[in-house]
Amino acid sequence: MTHKILFVEDDAELAQLMQGFLARHDLEVVIEPRGDTAHAALLREQPDLLLLDIMLPGKDGLTLCREIRPEFAGPIVILTSLDSDINQILGLELGANDYVLKTTPPAVLAARLRAQLRQHEQRQGGSTEAEGEQLLVFGQLRIDARSREVLLAGQRITLSTTDFDLLWQLASHAGEVQDRDTLLRVMRGLSYDGLDRSIDIAVSRLRKKLGDDPAAPARIKTVRNKGYLFSPAGW
């Protein structure tokens, strides 16, 4: 099955080289050279995945990620030459599923894109239902896998697709420590390399949205050198 990728990239040579390489991996790439026309291209092309550079004419990739995330359910991957912790953290906070440097070998990039697409298809296919329960309730917290809706004290909590999957993984294993490798596989289909901070960033984001004290978390606890634990008694 061929998947369509919208690649927002103003370097025409790089974009064309990537287009040719990914085509050999059953990934159709549509190139959009400007940030300020990317939203229209997204609506027109209806891609399965959005691949974004950061430095773009018209509108930067981080702004695009923030604007597009609420209405685009598919994976968003930032591909950039900016090797910056701040930009990586910001990109993930704004809803990107992955942050990849342009120095990454093309074969590795292709594997990461396919992993994102595979994870998205599993989510769309209802992999959570296959795990058994479709509704989890802990005190004032209600998590519905069918509607992908989260309510806390009757208030709807808006979560990205990735954040919902992370919360579901933690909550469906309440009282059990989930290591970073397990959580990273759920979120991005990748193994933990000991350096990736996306899980820590996502957990911090979840704590903030779910009213957990970051200084002394009682709902999603950090278990030193092991991972994270969802406390069923914290709600």
Side-chain angles (χ1 to χ4, degrees), residues 74-149:
I76 297 177
V77 176
I78 293 175
L79 180 65
T80 179
S81 58
L82 299 177
D83 187 4
S84 160
D85 285 349
I86 293 175
N87 281 321
Q88 181 176 359
I89 291 169
L90 184 57
L92 295 170
E93 288 279 6
L94 291 173
N97 298 84
D98 202 358
Y99 187 101
V100 185
L101 294 178
K102 288 182 178 179
T103 53
T104 300
V108 175
L109 172 63
R112 292 175 76 156
L113 295 178
R114 292 178 68 85
Q116 288 293 339
L117 289 163
R118 187 166 57 249
Q119 289 289 313
H120 179 65
E121 287 176 348
Q122 290 172 353
R123 291 191 293 262
Q124 294 298 104
S127 60
T128 51
E129 284 99 343
E131 295 176 8
E133 291 188 76
Q134 300 176 40
L135 178 65
L136 298 175
V137 179
F138 301 92
Q140 297 184 357
L141 180 69
R142 176 187 175 97
I143 311 170
D144 192 331
R146 294 162 296 187
S147 63
R148 300 183 72 81
E149 182 178 71

Side-chain angles (χ1 to χ4, degrees), residues 141 150 152 157 159 203-220 234-235:
L141 180 69
V150 177
L152 180 58
I157 307 298
L159 297 179
V203 169
S204 177
R205 188 166 56 235
L206 272 180
R207 284 172 172 161
K208 182 178 180 180
K209 290 189 174 184
L210 296 173
D212 204 4
D213 183 356
R219 294 176 166 178
I220 302 177
W235 307 92

